[in-house]
Amino acid sequence: MSAPRETQAGTNATAFVLEAKQIEKSFGATHVLRGANLRIRRGEIHALLGGNGAGKSTLIRIISGSHRLDAGSISIDGRLDPNPNAIAVVFQELALLPHLSVAENIYLPHRKCAFARLGEAACYAEARAALALVDEELAERTLDWPVAQLDLHERQFVEIARALSSGARVLLLDEPTANLTFSETERLFGILRRLAQQGISTLLVSHRMGEIRALADVCTVLRDGRSVLDRVALSDISDEAIVEAMGQKSSAVSPPAPRGAPAASARMQIVLRSPGVSLSVASGEVLGLAGAPAGPSGVIETLIGASRPAAWQITIDGIDVRFSSPAEAIRAGVGYVSGDRAEKGILATLPILDNIVAAARVADRRILASSREATAAQTALDTLSIKASSIDALPQTVSGGTQQKLLLARWLAPAPKILVLEEPTRGVDIGTKREIYAMIRDAAAAGCVVVWWSTEFTELIAVCDRVVAFDLSGQASGVLDRDELDEVSLSRATGMAA
Ligand SMILES: Nc1ncnc2c1ncn2[C@@H]1O[C@H](COP(=O)(O)OP(=O)(O)OP(=O)(O)O)[C@@H](O)[C@H]1O
Ligand SMILES: [Mg+2]
């Protein structure tokens, strides 16, 4: 392993392993970074915070060399022409070659093997050592497996191992936990803490205040491309102060006080039955789904017409739910926000306008654009304070959290009877999360049944009327009422330790 050896060299030369100074970056007319600063010490876990569109991912892409900076400087251990391998971005997915083995993925991109002509056995041994440093059990079990067989979080561990084996001393993680369960997140954090003790620094981008506080020591806050807080110890600053620095209302820290009386009009009743659980949900209720993904996804697939009911028998107003397609579900009044915005949610080649009106078109059986759509789309942008240059822009020109808001905007106009949500706050900043919680409660108050799958227990507790918990095998293990909802009861019912 080269990492510890190299780490020794620069420590005395400068206080910071990574220093980005006065970084400027524009995309066309959009001035994204306006003098951003970031300074990271050796062995530190540093949180990079900011609202959606503040410039966090752009800064990471500049530091890792995938975007060129317009002005400013980046130095590592005080050197302005750093070894590019010293910094590594750990991508959420897709940066590995799925058909090659775990070991090959770790050592093949590794220049040392190519140039120093290490034998394959030696490369393999290095890969094993690198992975064992991250997770011994994974190294024992999976070194020869094709990467395609690994879970998402295990792929992240392989990426970390690969970064370490090529000499990375700073890991850049852009929302690494967005697609992880609670226990997978814990496992990742354990690794990062251990690496920190060995002098490896981590830059973490996250919108989850709880996990930031659990992991990071120091934070930098970006707002409109400027570092408005620069290396502030997290122990010295409150959530409210951080949120205020981000430029969002400090009331955004706590979710809205929920639960008006359900609307009397448009009453509707959904009954869900599976072996072990049976419950009836009425208009005005927010029903949470928590636990291992197999459980919630079974309910959701049935509700949205993606698959025939297997484990679940669901009725809406006494009629069996047997939609033969998602279009049929939409016309029956079922709205759905997919948890996978890249694959199943955002229409990447169509402008924001079409992304917003897509569901309304299906509901109305329309193919042609209508003149009213532009107004409707603009209203949706304003209602949800969506930061986009225009309704004609492509979705890829807005930040990740903003894309998430576009998916919700799709359902403002068709006003569904049942709104099915998969992790609608994934990647969404704290202020926007609060807006989404309010939207969820508003939809319920307007007579909708909201069925909401979230991996964040805190938001389920804050917003839901009831939660169906699933155990680790995906079986429904119980229904928790409002007054019994807390972290402990949810952890117990889902088998996901808190
Ligand atoms: N290739 C691009 N072309 C045009 N604009 C871009 C491009 N990439 C980013 N932007 C703009 O730069 C701004 C910052 O985006 P960035 O993705 O860095 O934000 P972020 O802080 O990572 O947000 P989030 O929390 O939502 O991930 C956004 O307003 C975005 O629209
Ligand atoms: Mg981002």
Side-chain angles (χ1 to χ4, degrees):
M1 288 297 303
S2 49
R5 190 173 59 243
E6 286 183 15
T7 316
Q8 299 292 323
T11 19
N12 300 328
T14 173
F16 300 110
V17 57
L18 172 74
E19 188 163 15
K21 273 194 222 165
Q22 294 297 315
I23 306 292
E24 297 279 338
K25 179 72 185 175
S26 296
F27 294 100
T30 317
H31 196 171
V32 176
L33 295 178
R34 302 161 182 260
N37 294 314
L38 178 67
R39 296 173 295 156
I40 301 180
R41 281 189 206 280
R42 181 174 180 272
E44 171 175 279
I45 301 185
H46 192 119
L48 178 61
L49 309 175
N52 294 131
K56 303 177 296 295
S57 298
T58 306
L59 183 57
I60 284 184
R61 288 191 199 109
I62 285 175
I63 293 172
S64 65
S66 60
H67 278 336
R68 201 188 292 269
L69 44 74
D70 297 340
S73 67
I74 293 170
S75 55
I76 292 168
D77 291 331
R79 282 198 292 269
L80 285 168
D81 56 341
N83 166 9
N85 290 334
I87 305 266
V89 184
V90 176
F91 293 97
Q92 273 183 10
E93 47 209 319
L94 298 180
L96 298 171
L97 301 166
H99 305 297
L100 294 186
S101 74
V102 168
E104 286 165 329
N105 266 281
I106 295 173
Y107 73 70
L108 280 184
H110 190 340
R111 289 160 192 236
K112 205 160 39 179
C113 283
F115 296 122
R117 286 180 230 90
L118 284 182
E120 198 170 335
C123 289
Y124 190 87
E126 277 222 18
R128 174 191 288 273
L131 190 54
L133 203 65
V134 173
D135 190 312
E136 284 203 32
E137 185 273 332
L138 198 65
E140 281 303 310
R141 184 164 52 93
T142 67
L143 210 58
D144 297 315
W145 291 12
V147 157
Q149 286 182 17
L150 300 189
D151 289 342
L152 174 65
H153 71 290
E154 294 173 332
R155 292 185 203 195
Q156 286 183 343
F157 299 169
V158 173
E159 294 235 22
I160 293 174
R162 176 168 73 184
L164 295 175
S165 82
S166 41
R169 321 220 327 263
V170 183
L171 303 174
L172 309 175
L173 278 68
D174 196 350
E175 302 189 46
T177 64
N179 299 310
L180 301 190
T181 65
F182 186 83
S183 53
E184 291 162 359
T185 299
E186 280 297 295
R187 210 166 143 199
L188 172 68
F189 285 5
I191 290 167
L192 297 175
R193 285 190 196 102
R194 209 151 26 75
L195 291 175
Q197 285 168 4
Q198 296 167 28
I200 307 288
S201 311
T202 294
L203 180 72
L204 172 79
V205 174
S206 167
H207 292 295
R208 299 175 176 177
M209 224 49 205
E211 69 181 33
I212 291 158
R213 290 209 175 268
L215 186 69
D217 317 308
V218 179
C219 69
T220 290
V221 175
L222 280 187
R223 174 175 176 178
D224 295 331
R226 293 185 185 85
S227 303
V228 288
L229 293 180
D230 186 354
R231 290 196 57 79
V232 174
L234 279 159
S235 51
D236 291 348
I237 187 165
S238 67
D239 287 2
E240 285 78 4
I242 291 174
V243 171
E244 210 173 301
M246 284 163 50
Q248 303 184 324
K249 288 186 230 88
S250 58
S251 61
V253 176
S254 49
R259 285 155 290 276
S265 62
R267 298 289 296 174
M268 187 187 35
Q269 195 111 38
I270 307 184
V271 177
L272 301 112
R273 275 192 210 94
S274 86
V277 168
S278 168
L279 77 159
S280 158
V281 194
S283 302
E285 275 196 74
V286 179
L287 179 70
L289 306 175
S297 58
V299 177
I300 288 175
E301 281 174 10
T302 307
L303 274 175
I304 66 168
S307 71
R308 292 289 177 157
W312 287 89
Q313 195 204 348
I314 301 180
T315 61
I316 300 177
D317 285 339
I319 299 164
D320 258 355
V321 170
R322 287 183 187 282
F323 300 129
S324 60
S325 72
E328 201 177 295
I330 292 174
R331 289 185 199 119
V334 180
Y336 167 56
V337 172
S338 154
D340 186 344
R341 64 176 172 248
E343 291 256 311
K344 290 189 283 181
I346 286 290
L347 306 165
T349 56
L350 293 178
I352 285 172
L353 168 73
D354 298 77
N355 270 276
I356 293 179
V357 301
R361 282 184 191 159
V362 175
D364 300 349
R365 298 176 186 275
R366 263 188 311 114
I367 314 170
L368 295 176
S370 123
S371 57
R372 280 197 291 267
E373 285 182 342
T375 323
Q378 191 57 54
T379 308
L381 290 189
D382 297 342
T383 310
L384 298 179
S385 358
I386 293 174
K387 218 171 153 185
S389 57
S390 99
I391 53 171
D392 301 317
L394 285 177
Q396 75 211 28
T397 63
V398 303
S399 75
T402 307
Q403 292 181 12
Q404 192 64 40
K405 281 172 136 184
L406 287 180
L407 293 186
L408 280 161
R410 199 172 278 174
W411 296 103
L412 284 181
K417 289 190 256 177
I418 302 172
L419 186 54
V420 179
L421 306 171
E422 268 174 31
E423 291 272 25
T425 64
R426 182 184 290 173
V428 163
D429 67 35
I430 298 169
T432 311
K433 267 184 191 160
R434 190 194 145 87
E435 290 168 22
I436 292 177
Y437 301 150
M439 275 184 66
I440 290 174
R441 290 306 325 179
D442 286 350
C448 193
V449 172
V450 181
V451 179
W452 175 22
W453 173 15
S454 168
T455 55
E456 268 187 82
F457 288 170
T458 44
E459 63 182 19
L460 289 177
I461 294 165
V463 184
C464 291
D465 298 302
R466 276 184 292 171
V467 173
V468 182
F470 296 86
D471 65 21
L472 292 172
S473 68
Q475 295 293 314
S477 57
V479 182
L480 299 167
D481 280 331
R482 170 96 225 121
D483 53 7
E484 38 185 14
L485 264 182
D486 57 39
E487 301 248 358
V488 177
S489 61
L490 273 173
S491 310
R492 204 172 290 147
T494 57
M496 293 183 170

